[in-house]
Amino acid sequence: MVPQFTDPKQAALLETELKKLIKESRKFSQKLKTIARECNVDIHRERKTTAEMLRLILQKWVIEIIHILFIEETQRFNDLKRNLEGISSRTLTSKLRLLEDAGFVERKLTGERPTIVEYSLTERGQILAELSTPIICHLKLQCAKTE
């Protein structure tokens, strides 16, 4: 859900900002590694937990749903379905339940008749979207360079 940048100046500016972010991210990663070594972190447990979370968020449609809710903030079911070309109602329902159970998406019922259901990101979902946006942006820029 990161826009395509066709203007070379915009792409260059974005790439400069991403490089700064990557540099800071590397510093943070090094600090985490140091802390993990000092605290004797159970690396096998950490790997398992990380793999479980990645399996969840890397499922088909999950990142797309999260990023639509990040950009649009609140969406009704049919609005989400319209924005996710090719997704079935059954699949969308399943993914929304999965994200709700994992604490990334909140489902709100509004109105009495007809009942309106709206979906939005929780704080946890918001953080996931904010952290994954630079990664997606970086990948799009790299793909644009190879085209």
Side-chain angles (χ1 to χ4, degrees):
M1 299 303 162
V2 176
Q4 295 288 21
F5 291 95
T6 53
D7 179 4
K9 288 181 184 178
Q10 282 182 329
L13 179 63
L14 190 61
E15 195 161 15
T16 300
E17 291 301 314
L18 278 169
K19 284 179 182 177
K20 291 177 193 175
L21 184 62
I22 290 167
K23 186 176 180 179
E24 289 303 310
S25 180
R26 284 182 176 147
K27 287 180 190 176
F28 180 72
S29 295
Q30 289 302 321
K31 287 178 186 176
L32 279 178
K33 285 196 310 191
T34 302
I35 290 168
R37 287 182 184 131
E38 290 171 356
C39 296
N40 277 335
V41 170
D42 182 349
I43 199 75
H44 298 294
R45 191 176 124 253
E46 289 299 317
R47 182 200 53 78
K48 184 179 178 185
T49 305
T50 301
E52 287 171 6
M53 288 308 299
L54 286 173
R55 262 193 292 282
L56 169 73
I57 64 171
L58 293 177
Q59 287 182 33
K60 187 173 182 177
W61 300 111
V62 168
I63 290 293
E64 291 94 329
I65 292 168
I66 287 172
H67 278 273
I68 286 172
L69 292 174
F70 177 62
I71 292 166
E72 300 294 332
E73 294 181 4
T74 299
Q75 290 270 285
R76 293 181 183 177
F77 184 88
N78 285 332
D79 296 330
L80 274 169
K81 191 167 184 316
R82 220 178 348 271
N83 283 317
L84 294 164
E85 191 175 313
I87 194 169
S88 69
S89 294
R90 184 177 181 180
T91 299
L92 180 55
T93 298
S94 169
K95 297 303 177 185
L96 286 168
R97 283 185 185 145
L98 179 77
L99 289 167
E100 190 178 0
D101 290 345
F104 293 114
V105 170
E106 180 178 37
R107 181 178 185 260
K108 289 183 186 171
L109 298 172
T110 59
E112 292 188 23
R113 294 218 177 192
T115 301
I116 297 169
V117 180
E118 294 180 329
Y119 296 91
S120 59
L121 292 177
T122 61
E123 180 67 22
R124 185 178 185 187
Q126 187 77 22
I127 291 168
L128 176 61
E130 290 167 353
L131 289 172
S132 60
T133 297
I135 295 168
I136 294 166
C137 193
H138 171 73
L139 293 171
K140 280 189 170 186
L141 284 170
Q142 294 307 309
C143 286
K145 286 181 178 181
T146 60
E147 290 176 351

